[in-house]
Amino acid sequence: MFNRRMQKLGEERSVIRELFEYGNRRKAEIGAENVFDFSLGNPNIPAPAAVNGEISRLLQNTPADLLHGYSSAQGLYEARTAIAAYIRKKFGAPAEPDLIYVTCGAAASLTVTLNALCEEGDEFIVLAPFFPEYRIFVENAGGKLVAVPTNSAFHPDLAALEQAITPHTKAVIVNSPNNPTGAVYTEEEMRALAALLEKKSKEYGAPVLLISDEPYRELCYGAEPPYLPNLYQNTVVCYSWSKALSLAGERIGYIFIPPTCANAQALFYAVCGAGRSLGFVCAPVLFQRVVAACAGQTSDIAEYKKNRDLLYGALTEYGYECTPPDGAFYLFVKSPEPSAASFCERAKRHELLLVPSESFGVEGYVRISYCVARSVIERSLPAFRALIKEYRK
Ligand code: PLP
């Protein structure tokens, strides 16, 4: 009667959403201040003043048909020109507006890219732990998701990757700064990955692409991640402003294909075709105009760093094990018992809402999303302390 696969996807519900809704019910029962919800990656720092200023300016000064009307399917030429200029200036990469496709956020950037690339039998490699939606996006595009473990610091394991790449590998997806671990891959690691992909592409006579999923690019607390198109020419960048400008609900991002990419123009047509077939055309026009004016600005990211320092410092002091995260707004903490799901249930009894790691493709960890008010972290600390004490009895 219906598409069973879609029905199942809808019924399954994400563990993260489920927790978030549980948190809302619990807040209604015992008061919002008594529930410590670390489930969602929803930015809590306000968008920069320039964003709201630009929205007001546009509302007052733009004719109605230009403000709320359609843009071309791939986005306003002015927006794509501004994005290309920003990429050229910031990263020195040869960006052109004609190879930029404006999207409804990184989810759309990825879905459109995967549909543009995927042919029968194609495999897409992700590094575990990984953003759970990758599996859904890859499989819906008709591809096979191949998860390759990372090393003990959650950085790429080149030897494992080399083993996993086959003539069926269409692309490797990397996400740095990373959800859920907060790892930021170094230039040296990415150069080594680029060299591996060059070698494999030569061996198979067809490029193995790199998809750089970058919603957290600006959220890094040490060295910035390298710009992958500068290291590997067959890179497709899937960007969004959801986190950098705290605009997650406005759905705005882009796909950038460097002109150096093999068959760049044909790939761009495939992106346009995929966008068309999925209905992801003409991203929200008001926000196309906003980001054109605000590209390069960010919310006050120093606030996330303060949250990270407070939470990481306290949790490690109490005895939790965690690799220090260099970016994004997540801590990936080792569960003190083998089953992360059962640890999360126990955490719930302390009103702590943590995400178990199984849906990220690894076992035995929890993700703590620290894009929350500082006061939530401060009030949650006694609960974290009491929780770990239960494992010491
Ligand atoms: N990729 C990763 C790694 C993410 O964490 C997210 C959102 O949290 C997305 C993609 C989707 O981002 P957007 O909200 O811009 O669609």
Side-chain angles (χ1 to χ4, degrees):
M1 193 175 32
F2 312 114
N3 179 327
R4 292 279 169 215
R5 203 163 53 85
M6 291 300 158
Q7 187 181 345
K8 189 162 161 279
L9 261 184
E11 277 166 6
E12 263 172 11
R13 312 201 53 183
S14 104
V15 180
I16 302 174
R17 291 268 152 196
E18 198 83 36
L19 257 179
F20 175 67
E21 276 158 31
Y22 167 85
N24 286 342
R25 288 198 300 278
R26 203 63 195 132
K27 283 176 186 169
E29 282 162 20
I30 63 168
E33 68 286 4
N34 299 313
V35 180
F36 313 117
D37 184 352
F38 295 101
S39 61
L40 275 191
N42 204 3
N44 72 306
I45 308 290
V51 164
N52 291 331
E54 190 59 22
I55 295 171
S56 311
R57 199 190 63 77
L58 287 165
L59 290 179
Q60 278 159 25
N61 299 332
T62 319
D65 57 331
L66 297 182
L67 188 59
H68 298 304
Y70 288 122
S71 71
S72 67
Q74 64 268 43
L76 290 167
Y77 190 71
E78 304 92 283
R80 292 183 288 124
T81 303
I83 295 165
Y86 176 71
I87 294 173
R88 284 198 303 271
K89 182 158 173 252
K90 168 83 182 161
F91 306 110
E96 294 300 335
D98 290 342
L99 292 174
I100 286 178
Y101 189 96
V102 188
T103 63
C104 303
S109 302
L110 287 163
T111 308
V112 169
T113 300
L114 289 165
N115 277 273
L117 292 177
C118 191
E119 295 173 288
E120 188 152 358
D122 278 351
E123 296 177 355
F124 292 84
I125 292 181
V126 298
L127 310 187
F130 56 88
F131 179 52
E133 301 304 284
Y134 287 163
R135 180 177 296 286
I136 293 157
F137 298 162
V138 166
E139 290 177 357
N140 200 51
K144 181 175 165 208
L145 182 124
V146 176
V148 174
T150 47
N151 68 20
S152 58
F154 303 118
H155 282 240
D157 176 343
L158 264 277
L161 262 169
E162 178 152 20
Q163 288 276 311
I165 298 174
T166 73
H168 297 292
T169 309
K170 182 53 76 64
V172 175
I173 305 177
V174 293
N175 165 228
S176 165
N178 185 266
N179 174 10
T181 65
V184 178
Y185 306 155
T186 65
E187 175 153 349
E188 202 187 339
E189 287 169 328
M190 292 299 95
R191 281 194 188 280
L193 174 61
L196 172 63
L197 297 184
E198 297 281 7
K199 185 177 107 177
K200 289 290 179 184
S201 301
K202 260 202 199 115
E203 192 179 324
Y204 303 141
V208 178
L209 283 100
L210 191 56
I211 298 176
S212 184
D213 176 25
E214 309 202 335
Y216 302 96
R217 162 159 284 282
E218 294 81 4
L219 276 67
C220 52
Y221 313 121
E224 278 186 29
Y227 199 58
L228 299 186
N230 290 341
L231 305 186
Y232 186 62
Q233 61 183 19
N234 290 312
T235 300
V236 178
V237 175
C238 292
Y239 181 85
S240 106
W241 281 277
S242 294
K243 320 285 177 172
L245 285 180
S246 300
L247 288 178
E250 306 299 355
R251 316 307 300 136
I252 191 83
Y254 64 81
I255 298 165
F256 162 49
I257 298 169
T260 48
C261 194
N263 302 317
Q265 188 59 58
L267 176 54
F268 188 72
Y269 287 139
V271 160
C272 294
R276 184 176 172 196
S277 72
L278 293 161
F280 277 138
V281 289
C282 173
V285 161
L286 175 60
F287 282 88
Q288 291 192 43
R289 296 190 186 283
V290 170
V291 295
C294 300
Q297 306 233 16
T298 62
S299 309
D300 185 2
I301 283 154
E303 289 298 309
Y304 293 132
K305 182 172 185 298
K306 287 183 199 154
N307 282 2
R308 175 198 73 159
D309 293 346
L310 174 62
L311 196 58
Y312 175 77
L315 295 197
T316 47
E317 184 198 319
Y318 302 159
Y320 290 92
E321 272 180 60
C322 173
T323 315
D326 294 319
F329 38 48
Y330 306 106
L331 285 188
F332 206 55
V333 177
K334 198 158 178 33
S335 163
E337 59 177 301
S339 161
S342 103
F343 173 56
C344 289
E345 282 308 307
R346 196 182 271 258
K348 271 183 179 170
R349 286 186 230 141
H350 294 264
E351 311 302 345
L352 291 167
L353 307 188
L354 319 177
V355 182
S357 61
E358 280 78 3
S359 58
F360 300 107
V362 296
E363 292 188 355
Y365 290 84
V366 293
R367 188 191 78 175
I368 301 178
S369 191
Y370 58 80
C371 48
V372 296
R374 185 89 25 82
S375 59
V376 173
I377 299 179
E378 284 161 355
R379 277 187 281 108
S380 73
L381 295 182
F384 275 113
R385 192 197 283 267
L387 175 63
I388 194 82
K389 271 195 182 154
E390 291 182 12
Y391 290 88
R392 297 230 189 80
K393 280 179 192 152

